[in-house]
Amino acid sequence: MEINVNFLDNLRLEAKFDDFTVITDQPIRYKGDGSAPSPFDYFLASSALCAAYFVRVYCLARDIPTDNIRLSQNNIVDPEDRYNQIFKIQVELPEDISEKDRAGILRSIDRCTVKKVIQTGPDFQIETVENLAEDAQALLMVEPDAEHRTMIEGKDLPLEQTIANMTKILADLGMKIEISSWRNIVPHVWSLHIRDAASPMCFTNGKGATKESALCSALGEFIERLNCNFFYNDQYFGEEIATAPFVHYPNEKWFELEEDDSLPTGILDDHTRAIYNPEGELGGSNLIDTNSGRADRGICSLPFVRKSDGEVVYFPSNLIENLFLSNGMSAGNTLPEAQVQCLSEIFERAVKKEILEQEIALPDVPKEVLAKYPDIVEGIEELEKQGFPILVKDASLGGQFPVMCVTLMNPRNGGVFASFGAHPSFHVALERSLTELMQGRSFEGLNDVPPPTFNSLEVSEPNNFVEHFIDSTGVVSWRFFSAKSDYEFVEWDFSGNHHDTNETETDRLFRILEEMGKEAYMATYDELGAPACRILVPGYSEVYPVEDLIWDNTNKALDYREDILNLHRLEDGQLEDLVERLEESQIDNYETIITLIGVEFDENTVWGQLTVLELKILIYLALQRHDEALELVEAFLQYNDNTVERGLFYRAVQAVLEIELDDDLALEDFVFNLRRMYGDAVMDAVVGSVDGSVRFAGLTPTNMQLEGLDKHLRLIESYKKLHAARAACARNT
């Protein structure tokens, strides 16, 4: 985590990281003003809070109330060496907590991250740099070992060399990559989370049988998502990028909108038009680029090569971001290595969708076959020792596809978690299924998985597949667990033999698509120094329904983005128009403004939690339309999940509106006790909102230049590095 420090007045300091700001000071006796805790005080508090967090997680997982649990920490200083201290943590537990849970709570405290870091002893490296903002030295904790060359199946270079190459690519790009967490709670199952220190929204997760393979996975995913612009999907790029010679890639092509809103000639081909516009309802206006919003430039389209004949076909950037998410993207040491990963991922998701939606019962992998992979067996046995029954299934649908499945059952809450993995090698696909299962998860986190169902509609609902795609936490049918499988087990192998190359495996995977009658389209990217590709298989590899292009397109942001960012500057007539458009739209009241307009706000602000519903309330209050405001406030209080502070604000708004709308009541009769209940600051904002003297309480003014929106500006700065690298590469070719 990158922490930037600013020097304030006297001895006050300001630390900024992620979406947070922390102020420190020194006591008056040390020449400070005593206005905030000292840095060392925060350090002491961090270990106590970390210990309490692990207690809380343990208790939540077992429905143990924490109301009567008390935790305290004291630090005992050695009088002869003030740097030698004992942190004494004491826990007071109610008598009704069992001995088993008492021991479990103490073990949970022992897992405290702060404690473990202190005990291990961090290494402090202190240096000067020319420019903090431009220094992009990688912060990875795993350094490649020149004495070792670890080759694994599917990789064309040793893991150590892959790590070195990809780390250098990111550093040259100006991105400071840090590892924010590691997990290895099951033997031979590693996962980690990496991110751009300057823009933490740019992050990936990696998984593997070793820490090196997991790091390769995370770095490769980071580079693939940079190449395919996935980190910036749906986000507003800002005016500078929107007016640049290119928005996404130097080879993009813009097609002018037709007067009748038909699809311009040159976009898509006959095959894809039949899939995406079967009834002729898709218009050019549906395909305007969300990131730039440049309707005046037309439709931004990206070139893909058609596999069957090598012809270039232009896909609107809007269509890609709306339908495919990250499916079919990969980076590798070589292009064939990336292609194998791309195609494997496409088969994994498509087969998974078929199995879930058709409630297919899969065959178990026989024990004698599993026994060939002792490392995988060891990981499974450890999960079962922890109380999680594991099912290992052949998901190849009778040997048709290179897909495996490992499913975890959680008797503690009745939940199940089906994890799929794919690769031409049976072994690699099985390993990926297991590592995907535990990627970034703790044992406590497995209590969040949902129970299975016999409701077929719930399983086949489109959003269920989206949930499975994002983090595999969608619903699974009980029929999936039937002992009577719909297919026979096949010990398949699409890799041929260990001497086969990724080129051979790529050909085999493409051949499967051809035999299914599917057409593939591929874009390749090598500007950053590592081969990456994106493969689209229309009618097969989409994540979202095709209908979303018309009914739930992300470019609906263009109808609202400018007005919402300029909210404080709008006159009443403009506000009337905005709220009327919101009411007439079919946008969910509980959709966040972040999602609606593609702009990131600090989640700890009112903007960061703002929904369409709350925006309507604030507009109605500004317009003095109290009846409509009260109706929506009641809905907000009944269904909305917001901060406690914001909830109290609207409870006070509700009370004041009901008084104002009742001819028999006078606000002055209630103000005294309302202020006692909610406090002066809240009531000043509430009364001002109701009488019109305060507009949009809690929302700080911003504009189309994104003034004050540091989180989004950091994201744009991240994209500008990528954009500049593409521009430089285009100039040099």
Side-chain angles (χ1 to χ4, degrees):
M1 178 172 65
E2 184 174 56
I3 303 171
N4 291 306
V5 177
N6 297 319
F7 296 89
L8 307 180
D9 55 291
N10 197 14
L11 298 181
R12 282 162 47 86
L13 302 170
E14 175 188 70
K16 299 177 80 72
F17 52 93
D18 293 346
D19 294 331
F20 301 100
T21 298
V22 172
I23 303 293
T24 72
D25 200 352
Q26 292 292 334
I28 293 173
R29 65 181 179 275
Y30 295 142
K31 308 301 183 183
D33 299 314
S35 62
S38 72
F40 190 68
D41 292 335
Y42 278 112
F43 167 67
L44 293 176
S46 69
S47 59
L49 290 168
C50 186
Y53 161 76
F54 279 95
V55 171
R56 179 70 167 163
V57 168
Y58 179 93
C59 292
L60 284 174
R62 293 157 181 80
D63 293 323
I64 300 173
T66 54
D67 299 347
N68 296 318
I69 295 178
R70 301 287 182 268
L71 185 145
S72 174
Q73 174 184 295
N74 289 281
N75 62 309
I76 303 168
V77 183
D78 184 337
E80 297 182 1
D81 181 1
R82 68 190 182 101
Y83 299 115
N84 181 26
Q85 301 192 15
I86 296 172
F87 287 14
K88 189 168 188 177
I89 297 175
Q90 297 177 309
V91 189
E92 179 184 322
L93 301 174
E95 292 182 1
D96 58 351
I97 291 183
S98 68
E99 289 301 320
K100 177 182 177 182
D101 283 326
R102 286 172 181 269
I105 288 171
L106 292 180
R107 284 197 307 273
S108 73
I109 294 175
D110 197 49
R111 293 173 55 200
C112 167
T113 311
V114 175
K115 167 183 167 294
K116 288 184 177 294
V117 170
I118 294 171
Q119 288 178 325
T120 302
D123 179 24
F124 287 86
Q125 299 176 2
I126 303 169
E127 63 183 7
T128 61
V129 295
E130 292 289 328
N131 187 316
L132 279 175
E134 295 178 0
D135 176 63
Q137 181 183 356
L139 304 178
L140 304 180
M141 293 292 290
V142 175
E143 295 293 335
D145 186 346
E147 296 181 3
H148 295 86
R149 293 174 55 84
T150 308
M151 295 296 300
I152 64 171
E153 196 171 358
K155 287 291 181 187
D156 287 331
L157 285 179
L159 295 178
E160 296 81 5
Q161 188 61 51
T162 303
I163 293 170
N165 292 348
M166 291 187 171
T167 299
K168 183 179 185 303
I169 287 169
L170 294 169
D172 289 346
L173 195 59
M175 292 189 173
K176 188 183 295 185
I177 303 301
E178 61 182 6
I179 297 176
S180 61
S181 67
W182 279 102
R183 286 196 184 276
N184 176 222
I185 60 175
V186 173
H188 313 295
V189 177
W190 287 80
S191 67
L192 75 159
H193 180 93
I194 67 172
R195 62 187 186 180
D196 179 358
S199 179
M201 288 185 62
C202 299
F203 68 86
T204 57
N205 299 303
K207 61 185 184 294
T210 66
K211 62 180 183 295
E212 290 83 7
S213 61
L215 181 53
C216 281
S217 168
L219 290 169
E221 187 171 287
F222 201 98
I223 290 174
E224 91 186 19
R225 296 190 173 198
L226 284 175
N227 275 291
C228 298
N229 280 2
F230 182 74
F231 289 136
Y232 319 101
N233 227 28
D234 309 340
Q235 303 286 351
Y236 177 45
F237 283 164
E239 294 179 345
E240 182 181 341
I241 297 294
T243 56
F246 70 90
V247 171
H248 296 273
Y249 302 94
N251 63 352
E252 68 193 22
K253 190 172 181 179
W254 293 76
F255 293 83
E256 290 187 11
L257 293 169
E258 302 288 348
E259 289 187 7
D260 62 357
D261 201 32
S262 61
L263 297 185
T265 302
I267 286 181
L268 303 175
D269 58 12
D270 291 342
H271 174 70
T272 51
R273 285 184 179 233
I275 293 170
Y276 299 126
N277 194 25
E279 306 297 329
E281 296 179 335
L282 183 66
S285 59
N286 295 123
L287 300 176
I288 296 170
D289 179 56
T290 305
N291 301 111
S292 65
R294 291 294 304 275
D296 59 309
R297 291 181 71 175
I299 301 171
C300 181
S301 299
L302 311 178
F304 281 73
V305 175
R306 190 164 55 206
K307 179 67 172 64
S308 60
D309 59 7
E311 290 295 314
V312 173
V313 177
Y314 282 90
F315 282 74
S317 61
N318 173 280
L319 182 149
I320 297 170
E321 76 167 24
N322 269 282
L323 299 184
F324 290 93
L325 286 182
S326 64
N327 199 19
M329 304 185 328
S330 186
N333 293 295
T334 63
L335 181 58
E337 180 186 312
Q339 289 174 307
V340 168
Q341 175 58 26
C342 264
L343 293 166
S344 296
E345 184 178 82
I346 287 170
F347 284 122
E348 174 193 325
R349 272 66 183 267
V351 171
K352 178 179 184 178
K353 182 179 182 182
E354 182 179 349
I355 290 167
L356 294 172
E357 292 184 351
Q358 297 184 20
E359 302 176 276
I360 295 172
L362 300 176
D364 291 319
V365 176
K367 289 185 177 180
E368 60 271 20
V369 174
L370 273 182
K372 298 177 182 179
Y373 313 108
D375 288 354
I376 291 172
V377 171
E378 188 178 355
I380 291 170
E381 288 176 346
E382 181 59 32
L383 283 169
E384 296 205 325
K385 285 179 187 176
Q386 295 292 330
F388 301 106
I390 300 297
L391 307 175
V392 182
K393 302 279 189 179
D394 167 23
S396 69
L397 303 184
Q400 298 179 76
F401 304 102
V403 186
M404 296 296 295
C405 175
V406 175
T407 301
L408 175 144
M409 306 175 74
N410 189 350
R412 295 171 187 163
N413 70 343
V416 297
F417 180 18
S419 173
F420 290 73
H423 189 269
S425 162
F426 184 98
H427 177 206
V428 175
L430 180 56
E431 181 181 273
R432 286 181 176 176
S433 299
L434 179 60
T435 54
E436 175 71 27
L437 181 74
M438 297 308 298
Q439 179 173 278
R441 290 182 173 87
S442 62
F443 291 132
E444 290 82 1
L446 293 170
N447 292 320
D448 295 332
V449 296
T453 180
F454 279 110
N455 185 339
S456 299
L457 291 177
E458 187 178 359
V459 172
S460 59
E461 198 272 325
N463 197 56
N464 187 48
F465 175 60
V466 176
E467 294 295 324
H468 274 286
F469 179 88
I470 294 171
D471 60 8
S472 297
T473 57
V475 179
V476 177
S477 172
W478 263 118
R479 294 176 177 85
F480 176 82
F481 297 94
S482 172
K484 185 179 179 181
S485 61
D486 294 310
Y487 290 89
E488 295 294 326
F489 168 75
V490 175
E491 192 175 358
W492 50 266
D493 183 9
F494 291 86
S495 64
N497 59 66
H498 293 303
H499 300 291
D500 273 7
T501 63
N502 277 311
E503 289 95 331
T504 305
E505 293 178 355
T506 298
D507 291 340
R508 289 197 180 105
L509 296 178
F510 271 126
R511 197 174 307 127
I512 296 174
L513 290 174
E514 291 170 11
E515 291 169 355
M516 295 171 64
K518 303 296 182 183
E519 182 68 87
Y521 302 77
M522 183 173 71
T524 58
Y525 309 101
D526 57 10
E527 298 89 350
L528 303 184
C533 64
R534 182 167 203 162
I535 298 176
L536 310 178
V537 185
Y540 190 68
S541 65
E542 294 88 355
V543 176
Y544 283 105
V546 171
E547 295 77 23
D548 279 6
L549 289 174
I550 297 173
W551 301 111
D552 193 23
N553 196 302
T554 57
N555 71 10
K556 64 179 180 283
L558 309 185
D559 295 329
Y560 305 101
R561 181 184 287 157
E562 186 170 359
D563 281 345
I564 291 174
L565 289 175
N566 288 318
L567 189 65
H568 292 77
R569 298 171 181 80
L570 299 185
E571 297 178 355
D572 285 357
Q574 294 169 304
L575 288 174
E576 292 276 6
D577 177 66
L578 174 57
V579 78
E580 184 177 335
R581 282 185 283 125
L582 287 170
E583 292 286 15
E584 291 176 353
S585 73
Q586 309 221 346
I587 300 171
D588 189 334
N589 264 341
Y590 299 101
E591 182 167 320
T592 65
I593 297 303
I594 288 175
T595 301
L596 176 62
I597 67 173
V599 172
E600 290 296 327
F601 298 92
D602 181 343
E603 66 179 8
N604 303 301
T605 65
V606 176
W607 275 114
Q609 299 294 320
L610 191 69
T611 60
V612 171
L613 175 63
E614 186 179 0
L615 177 61
K616 290 179 185 177
I617 294 172
L618 293 173
I619 294 174
Y620 282 135
L621 288 173
L623 294 171
Q624 298 293 280
R625 291 170 59 174
H626 292 161
D627 288 301
E628 293 98 326
L630 179 58
E631 181 180 350
L632 294 184
V633 166
E634 289 169 348
F636 178 95
L637 293 172
Q638 184 172 3
Y639 300 110
N640 211 335
D641 180 20
N642 207 301
T643 62
V644 173
E645 180 182 8
R646 207 60 180 166
L648 289 173
F649 172 81
Y650 282 109
R651 291 208 176 277
V653 169
Q654 181 185 36
V656 173
L657 284 175
E658 288 182 339
I659 293 169
E660 286 292 314
L661 292 170
D662 192 322
D663 294 336
D664 297 326
L665 300 176
L667 183 58
E668 59 264 26
D669 296 334
F670 295 88
V671 166
F672 177 75
N673 281 320
L674 284 170
R675 288 185 177 276
R676 294 183 68 191
M677 172 73 82
Y678 297 109
D680 288 337
V682 170
M683 286 308 300
D684 287 344
V686 168
V687 173
S689 297
V690 173
D691 69 22
S693 61
V694 173
R695 289 161 73 92
F696 314 115
L699 297 180
T700 54
T702 185
N703 49 43
M704 284 292 284
Q705 288 69 48
L706 307 167
E707 185 178 331
L709 305 184
D710 291 343
K711 186 173 185 178
H712 195 84
L713 290 172
R714 291 199 303 271
L715 187 68
I716 292 176
E717 285 303 313
S718 167
Y719 183 65
K720 284 181 177 177
K721 296 173 184 176
L722 184 59
H723 192 270
R726 287 175 180 156
C729 184
R731 287 194 299 270
N732 295 329
T733 56

